[in-house]
Amino acid sequence: MKDITIKKLAELVDINPETIRFYHREGILKEPAKRANGYRYYNEDHALRLSFIKRAKDLGFTLKEIKDLFEMNQKSRATCATVKVKAENKIEEIDQKIADLMQIKKSLQDLCHACDVGSAEMKQYRVMDCFDASCKC
């Protein structure tokens, strides 16, 4: 991939150019130096990093967590113990999200079953109960 402008990079990764500028300010994405013509040009590494950021956000990672992941690769003082603790904490969060999603899935399946039985059954069903942690839908 040849060097491209921020507009083309944004189109390639399917994000807003302002989001890229925000990532520059937050220190998550290194801003390339301006060239003689006054433009900044981005390369394949920028596109890969932005794709990673976008996917990680979609999967529930915060920008701070994403930045921490990048910094662990770049800083020599990051130890395996530090990385392992962060990874284990994220695994616990993911496991909890999976459990929550499974509870919601079961509730929606129950709703589908209630619809199959009849509209009276469906009207008695409270789908919002699936978000109640104490409810074992």
Side-chain angles (χ1 to χ4, degrees), residues 91-129:
I91 289 168
E92 287 177 22
E93 286 179 37
I94 290 169
D95 286 342
Q96 183 58 54
K97 284 182 184 181
I98 290 170
D100 291 344
L101 288 170
M102 292 301 293
Q103 181 179 340
I104 293 168
K105 179 182 176 182
K106 183 183 179 320
S107 181
L108 292 172
Q109 287 171 330
D110 291 346
L111 176 61
C112 288
H113 176 72
C115 288
D116 289 341
V117 173
S119 61
E121 178 80 14
M122 191 253 327
K123 288 180 182 176
Q124 294 177 17
Y125 192 83
R126 291 177 34 108
V127 72
M128 69 181 129
D129 288 341

Side-chain angles (χ1 to χ4, degrees), residues 1 12 16 23 32 38 43 59 64-65 74-75 78-79 89 97-99 109 122 124 128 132-133 136:
M1 174 174 92
L12 178 69
N16 189 305
Y23 292 157
N43 58 36
L59 293 172
K64 182 184 181 334
E65 289 169 329
Q74 297 169 350
K75 292 184 179 177
T79 65
N89 289 340
K97 284 182 184 181
I98 290 170
Q109 287 171 330
M122 191 253 327
Q124 294 177 17
M128 69 181 129
D132 181 0
K136 299 298 178 198

